[in-house]
Amino acid sequence: SQANALGLYVGFLPTWGDKWNKKWGVGPEIFTPRNAEAYGQWLGRRYRDAGLIWILGGDRPIENDTHKEIMRAMARGLRNGDGGAHLMTWHPTGGSSSAQWFHGDAWLDFNMRQNGHVAEFTGRYDQTRADYDRTPPKPVLDGEPIYEDHPVSFDAKKLGHSIAADVRRPLYWDLFGGACGHTYGHHSVWQMWAPNRNPVNNPLMPWFEAILQPGAAQMQHGRALIESRPFLTRVPDPEVVVADRVPTSVPGAGRYHFAATRDASGGCAMVYAPVGRGFTVRMDKITGARVSAWWFNPRDGKATRIGEFANTGEREFVPPDRGEMLDWVLVLDDAAKGFPAPGTVVRGDP
């Protein structure tokens, strides 16, 4: 009730998995299809009027048909209990998606991915687009990207801990790749680590310091940028970016992948550049005779006007700062649309 009073919806996991996999602990399985449905119905009735989203699963693999039926039974119970009052999804294990198991199930309102605690686009965050392209179409959300200050790929000795730049990149990779939203996490906060508690996987600082880390505050800039342009008609379009002579430079690979999105009608386009490196765009992806161009800074949310250009051919843009970890978003608008500066959002009743 306190979260709802603050305008928040709670992602509610009926259970954090089950002990059906030895990797996660030994012991008898808690749920059967029969008791999972009864439990779901009880929870659904109890929280029928709460502002929440049901997230089944809980970072556990599906290993056999019985496990699938347990999840389906729990979903059935929740629907019976709350009368369909809430959205429902499923939390997968690292590098996988709810779509792998349940995409065709009517109870699954949107897909959730766990692209996981890696820093690379290729082989992980590119899979957000794969779920976006599935039929029947369903929204997709990355429910567990790399967390800030998390051991990269769970190997701190070899790869160190992530930094703010590592959590910004997946934000734009996901949003520009077709995701309906994004999730932020911090390695100390999820476990509420403090010096008097046993640490999990070498957290760097207590949770009450971690909540002030820069990556957390920078997430709001991504939302403001997306909401300052048409939202529901936005589509991923990597062809906005012209491939360089060396494609691993632009559009890039690994942690240096450039991502692009545009409005389906051509009124605007955006390109995320993870490094301060010049790149070329196809201007004909934008409608109108003239194009208005902006740089948007993902680190502080500020927009800087570049200028207005004739909408012809291809044009190179060079970010204001050259260098690593200095990411930028290029925003191109049909000048006739009169859009405000990127990141300027006027919220209120439509």
Side-chain angles (χ1 to χ4, degrees):
S1 60
Q2 182 64 34
N4 291 167
L6 294 172
L8 300 174
Y9 278 72
V10 174
F12 195 122
L13 286 94
T15 173
W16 188 245
D18 196 350
K19 294 185 179 180
W20 59 52
N21 186 297
K22 290 183 179 179
K23 176 182 176 182
W24 303 99
V26 296
E29 294 183 358
I30 300 170
F31 291 110
T32 66
R34 183 176 179 180
N35 67 20
E37 183 167 358
Y39 172 64
Q41 188 168 7
W42 175 79
L43 273 183
R45 285 197 303 264
R46 181 172 184 176
Y47 294 103
R48 183 186 184 103
D49 297 324
L52 58 85
I53 297 171
W54 297 118
I55 305 176
L56 282 71
D59 206 356
R60 296 297 186 272
I62 293 291
E63 296 181 335
N64 54 52
D65 289 342
T66 299
H67 296 158
K68 284 190 283 188
E69 289 312 308
I70 288 171
M71 292 294 98
R72 286 171 172 146
M74 191 175 292
R76 216 164 36 242
L78 289 167
R79 279 283 183 262
N80 290 336
D82 72 3
H86 305 103
L87 293 174
M88 196 179 305
T89 189
W90 189 79
H91 188 299
T93 53
S96 63
S97 167
S98 59
Q100 181 178 349
W101 311 107
F102 303 112
H103 185 76
D105 287 28
W107 61 266
L108 189 80
D109 295 306
F110 64 94
N111 279 307
M112 179 173 283
R113 293 199 56 80
Q114 184 187 160
N115 284 329
H117 302 279
V118 301
E120 314 299 323
F121 174 80
T122 314
R124 282 296 179 100
Y125 297 99
D126 56 356
Q127 294 306 298
T128 297
R129 173 64 187 273
D131 277 356
Y132 172 88
D133 287 334
R134 290 180 185 268
T135 54
K138 288 187 177 183
V140 56
L141 176 73
D142 187 350
E144 192 170 336
I146 189 169
Y147 292 166
E148 194 166 8
D149 293 326
H150 192 284
V152 177
S153 297
F154 292 91
D155 193 345
K157 289 183 179 179
K158 183 184 293 185
L159 301 172
H161 289 71
S162 64
I163 60 174
D166 295 316
V167 298
R168 287 197 308 272
R169 287 192 299 270
L171 168 66
Y172 294 93
W173 287 339
D174 278 333
L175 292 178
F176 287 16
C180 64
H182 189 71
T183 306
Y184 167 85
H186 192 283
H187 187 45
S188 298
V189 175
W190 76 261
Q191 59 185 291
M192 300 302 291
W193 184 73
N196 61 338
R197 298 173 183 167
N198 290 330
V200 178
N201 246 345
N202 299 309
L204 298 181
M205 63 192 71
W207 69 266
F208 46 82
E209 294 179 13
I211 58 176
L212 302 176
Q213 283 294 86
Q218 290 163 349
M219 295 296 106
Q220 65 184 314
H221 305 321
R223 175 180 177 178
L225 173 64
I226 291 297
E227 293 187 353
S228 67
R229 297 295 183 269
F231 180 80
L232 295 178
T233 52
R234 186 172 48 85
V235 296
D237 188 355
E239 293 185 358
V240 171
V241 181
V242 178
D244 197 2
R245 178 185 62 84
V246 181
T248 48
S249 172
V250 176
R255 66 182 59 188
Y256 305 117
H257 175 75
F258 286 62
T261 184
R262 64 175 175 83
D263 184 67
S265 67
C268 62
M270 303 180 191
V271 177
Y272 176 68
V275 292
R277 184 178 296 162
F279 58 94
T280 301
V281 300
R282 293 183 174 87
M283 299 293 282
D284 63 1
K285 291 288 184 176
I286 309 298
T287 58
R290 299 191 65 79
V291 173
S292 178
W294 302 79
W295 287 115
F296 180 81
N297 188 334
R299 286 154 279 142
D300 62 14
K302 295 180 179 178
T304 303
R305 184 171 171 80
I306 302 171
E308 190 174 301
F309 309 98
N311 190 2
T312 59
E314 299 175 352
R315 178 175 287 272
E316 183 184 26
F317 291 89
V318 180
D321 292 322
R322 289 182 177 271
E324 306 303 306
M325 307 303 174
L326 297 175
D327 50 346
W328 291 91
V329 180
L330 173 69
V331 180
L332 301 174
D333 298 324
D334 177 348
K337 298 291 185 182
F339 289 127
T344 302
V345 180
V346 179
R347 294 190 175 92
D349 294 333

